[in-house]
Amino acid sequence: MKPTVVYALAALVSLLVFVPGTPSDVQTVFQFGSGREFIRIPNLPVPSLVTIVLLTVVLAGAAVWAFLRHRARRPLNAWWHVLVGVAFITAFLTYVGAGRSSVIPMVSLLAGALALSVPLVFGSMSGVICERSGVINIAIEGQLLFGAFAAALVASAAGSGWVGLLAAPVAGAAVGALLAWFAVAYRVNQIIVGVVLNTLIIGLTGFLFSTLMSDNKALWNTRMPLPRLPIPVLSEIPVVGPVLFNQTILVYLVYVLVAVLQFMLFRSRWGLRTRAVGEHPKAADTVGIKVNTRRVLNVILGGAVAGLGGAFLTVGSGLAFGREMSAGQGYIALAAMILGKWNPKLAVLAALLFGFSKNLGNVLSTIGSGVPSELLLMLPYVITIFAVAGFVGRVRPPAANGTPYTKS
């Protein structure tokens, strides 16, 4: 029933807010070109009110269809969620851009959304690896921050962003090793350990930033950006080319990581054993799987993955390290993992949703939208609260998640 309610709410917002607030004699201009494609797409002006009315009809029709499917006890295809999401976002963009002299830069909107999603994807993949093994990884925030710190520090000292990129997963793995040591070896409450590690890393990096880095920025905290690596031909495809195929190595690693983890988790012996120790460790132990050893190794691996996400905050974005620059993204990554039901491909979609909502506020403030950007910037955190509160529907974590295993 929840999709029906969500669809109906989207239709009501469009009908009660977007339609009355849009003049009937203005247009909204969408820009799909960036100037780098081999095929130039001209700006697309659309009649604002007519477009919003049509999209409102689509949203209302989707709500009716979802209600009928629910009454017939038939599942709703996932593509309906995509359709409703695209229709609602398009209606919103048409509403905020109606009659303004500036255009809505779709390539910048999508490219920025992808960039803001990269740390969240790495963090959510780290959470999937750890929690599928039965260990709650609240320390993703600390792993992202320590990875960002190590990448900036080593890259600046070595004079190469590539060297800093190698240091980031090592730093993240070190935090993961501490988590595994306390959670697995000493069976300390995993949530408490994760929170303590986050606090430890915030304090440690803050201290080193204010002393070591601030004393000699030229040596220890110089910007060392990774170069963009455009893929020939693909990077020149209209719209998707500049967004997906003109990126740094870290973005390409995201594509590979998600595909490999999805395959390994559900189609390999490693994935079967990982899911076994997360669902029923005693049964896994009886067939010869070393439960705690596998948990330790996977938590360290998850920490290394999160460390790569931290590297994107510094060398991947061409920025110097800043105090607490992870800014709660580790917790949003956890929400993306929960929203994605501990499945890599679904967690990526959730991370992209968070990244898009955050970048939407940046773009709308740039074009002078009347919508307060602060409301849009808080949207990822609101979605995070709803996700962990179960508003998105019933989600079931691995049965032994957070439960230490003692061999009897």
Side-chain angles (χ1 to χ4, degrees):
M1 191 65 179
K2 285 186 177 180
T4 305
V5 175
V6 174
Y7 293 0
L9 285 175
L12 283 175
V13 170
S14 183
L15 179 64
L16 301 179
V17 178
F18 300 162
V19 173
T22 305
S24 59
D25 57 345
V26 300
Q27 291 184 328
T28 300
V29 182
F30 293 91
Q31 184 185 50
F32 290 96
S34 66
R36 292 190 293 267
E37 306 90 342
F38 60 82
I39 299 176
R40 293 298 305 275
I41 299 180
N43 291 350
L44 177 64
V46 297
S48 301
L49 183 59
V50 173
T51 302
I52 292 175
V53 169
L54 291 177
L55 291 172
T56 302
V57 172
V58 171
L59 293 172
V64 173
W65 177 251
F67 176 74
L68 294 176
R69 298 288 290 184
H70 175 74
R71 287 193 61 183
R73 299 183 182 276
R74 294 182 180 180
L76 200 63
N77 194 295
W79 286 107
W80 280 98
H81 304 327
V82 176
L83 172 65
V84 170
V86 171
F88 182 77
I89 291 170
T90 304
F92 176 70
L93 291 176
T94 305
Y95 163 71
V96 298
R100 299 188 179 275
S101 58
S102 58
V103 299
I104 298 178
M106 296 302 297
V107 172
S108 298
L109 179 61
L110 297 175
L114 177 62
L116 292 172
S117 301
V118 170
L120 304 181
V121 174
F122 277 115
S124 62
M125 295 303 105
S126 171
V128 169
I129 294 171
C130 295
E131 300 205 7
R132 282 287 186 174
S133 305
V135 178
I136 299 174
N137 188 5
I138 299 294
I140 295 175
E141 177 77 7
Q143 292 162 353
L144 288 174
L145 185 60
F146 205 41
F149 172 81
L153 183 75
V154 175
S156 182
S160 171
W162 294 103
V163 180
L165 178 61
L166 297 176
V170 176
V175 180
L178 284 174
L179 173 63
W181 185 35
F182 286 105
V184 178
Y186 291 98
R187 298 187 292 279
V188 180
N189 184 285
Q190 296 168 9
I191 296 177
I192 294 176
V193 172
V195 173
V196 169
L197 286 175
N198 288 338
T199 306
L200 171 66
I201 298 303
I202 290 173
L204 178 62
T205 55
F207 171 75
L208 294 175
F209 173 76
S210 61
T211 55
L212 178 66
M213 284 184 162
S214 298
D215 288 344
N216 194 345
K217 293 182 180 180
L219 176 61
W220 298 115
N221 201 18
T222 304
R223 297 183 180 185
M224 288 291 170
L226 293 172
R228 287 185 176 270
L229 303 173
I231 299 177
V233 181
L234 293 179
S235 62
E236 299 176 357
I237 298 175
V239 184
V240 297
V243 174
L244 299 178
F245 304 115
N246 186 21
Q247 299 288 348
T248 64
I249 186 64
L250 277 168
V251 179
Y252 299 137
L253 283 176
V254 164
Y255 305 157
V256 176
L257 173 65
V258 174
V260 170
L261 184 57
Q262 182 73 28
F263 174 81
M264 292 294 293
L265 197 57
F266 298 105
R267 295 290 186 272
S268 72
R269 178 181 296 181
W270 172 84
L272 178 62
R273 294 186 174 188
T274 293
R275 288 182 286 122
V277 301
E279 292 287 349
H280 204 312
K282 187 173 183 180
D285 192 12
T286 59
V287 297
I289 299 173
K290 296 180 179 180
V291 174
N292 287 333
T293 299
R294 184 163 295 272
R295 284 184 171 182
V296 168
L297 293 177
N298 283 353
V299 170
I300 294 174
L301 174 62
V305 170
L308 284 173
F312 187 84
L313 298 175
T314 50
V315 296
S317 302
L319 300 175
F321 180 78
R323 190 192 301 267
E324 297 185 41
M325 69 184 308
S326 54
Q329 293 189 70
Y331 300 109
I332 298 179
L334 272 176
M337 176 199 68
I338 296 171
L339 194 60
K341 300 180 179 180
W342 290 266
N343 185 301
K345 63 181 182 181
L346 297 179
V348 168
L349 295 178
L352 289 172
L353 172 63
F354 290 130
F356 180 84
S357 62
K358 188 173 183 179
N359 191 52
L360 185 60
N362 300 333
V363 171
L364 294 185
S365 63
T366 301
I367 67 174
S369 166
V371 180
S373 60
E374 292 80 6
L375 294 178
L376 296 169
L377 291 176
M378 67 182 281
L379 189 57
Y381 304 98
V382 174
I383 297 175
T384 300
I385 294 173
F386 286 154
V388 297
F391 185 79
V392 297
R394 184 175 181 274
V395 293
R396 189 189 70 84
N401 192 25
T403 305
Y405 177 70
T406 304
K407 188 179 180 69
S408 58

